[in-house]
Amino acid sequence: MRNDIKEILLSEEQIAEITAALGKKLTEDYAGKDVLLVSILKGAVVFMADIMRHIDLKCDVDFMVVSSYGSGVKTSGNVKIIKDIDIPLEGKDVIIIEDILDSGLTLNYIINMLKERNPNSIEICTLLDKPSGRQSEVQAKYIGVQIPDAFVVGYGLDYDEKYRNLPFVGVLHPDVYTK
């Protein structure tokens, strides 16, 4: 599996530093607020588990399963909610925890849907920001690191449901997904 990785973009140590710094910033910014962390499954589950241990606040946690089906390595932007949030959002400060902000199409859809439920606020916290892939105006307030236009896997990110269990973020060799 590691032979399929062209290069490592973020090591385990770098990820640990990023999650600690983001957790500290979220703790400062959301002190005294009614916080709900929302993880977009499956990719963001690893990041969510790590970052929430660095957030020193009382907060609720919930999950969404979203499919933006299409084939290959690009989203179609056609969003289907498979599992919605169970916790009411009214009066909550919602932080969407995401693994990667790429096209922004899926997050744009989710944010617009969640706004209708009257939260106090909605912000995005993403480990990876790939602005070169952006197709919507969605921006994250909390960003771990910007990455180049590359197909990345590991630390929750997958290709064909594989590679999520790698402890780092790496660039997948193109010959793996162009076959």
Side-chain angles (χ1 to χ4, degrees):
M1 178 168 66
R2 289 178 188 244
N3 291 337
D4 293 342
I5 303 304
K6 181 178 171 184
E7 68 178 295
I8 295 176
L9 282 183
L10 287 177
S11 69
E12 290 179 75
E13 296 78 17
Q14 290 171 306
I15 292 169
E17 289 173 11
I18 290 167
T19 57
L22 286 172
K24 181 180 179 187
K25 180 68 173 150
L26 290 169
T27 299
E28 293 168 0
D29 289 357
Y30 286 87
K33 296 188 178 184
D34 191 2
V35 176
L36 172 62
L37 303 176
V38 176
S39 175
I40 309 301
L41 296 176
K42 298 175 187 172
V45 70
V46 180
F47 182 44
M48 171 83 131
D50 285 347
I51 197 169
M52 66 189 240
R53 288 184 285 221
H54 292 287
I55 299 172
D56 189 17
L57 301 169
K58 292 179 184 175
C59 57
D60 293 322
V61 174
D62 210 338
F63 301 89
M64 292 184 80
V65 178
V66 180
S67 172
S68 58
Y69 40 99
S71 59
V73 298
K74 300 284 184 192
T75 181
S76 68
N78 188 5
V79 179
K80 178 180 177 184
I81 305 298
I82 297 167
K83 187 241 177 260
D84 202 347
I85 297 170
D86 296 320
I87 297 173
L89 298 186
E90 190 158 346
K92 298 275 187 190
D93 289 287
V94 177
I95 306 169
I96 299 172
I97 306 292
E98 186 60 296
D99 52 358
I100 186 168
L101 176 51
D102 190 356
S103 73
L105 296 173
T106 301
L107 276 173
N108 186 54
Y109 179 89
I110 291 169
I111 289 167
N112 288 328
M113 181 184 79
L114 297 181
K115 280 181 181 176
E116 295 175 4
R117 300 177 191 180
N118 300 316
N120 282 341
S121 67
I122 300 174
E123 294 294 350
I124 299 167
C125 176
T126 186
L127 174 65
L128 307 173
D129 183 27
K130 191 191 311 183
S132 63
R134 201 80 79 244
Q135 297 176 32
S136 80
E137 296 298 316
V138 173
Q139 297 295 323
K141 182 172 183 177
Y142 304 95
I143 298 170
V145 67
Q146 283 192 354
I147 63 167
D149 188 16
F151 190 74
V152 293
V153 296
Y155 194 70
L157 295 141
D158 76 301
Y159 170 66
D160 196 24
E161 295 298 323
K162 310 291 187 281
Y163 306 100
R164 291 187 195 277
N165 57 318
L166 290 171
F168 54 81
V169 174
V171 176
L172 192 62
H173 275 295
D175 60 344
V176 172
Y177 57 87
T178 57
K179 292 179 184 178

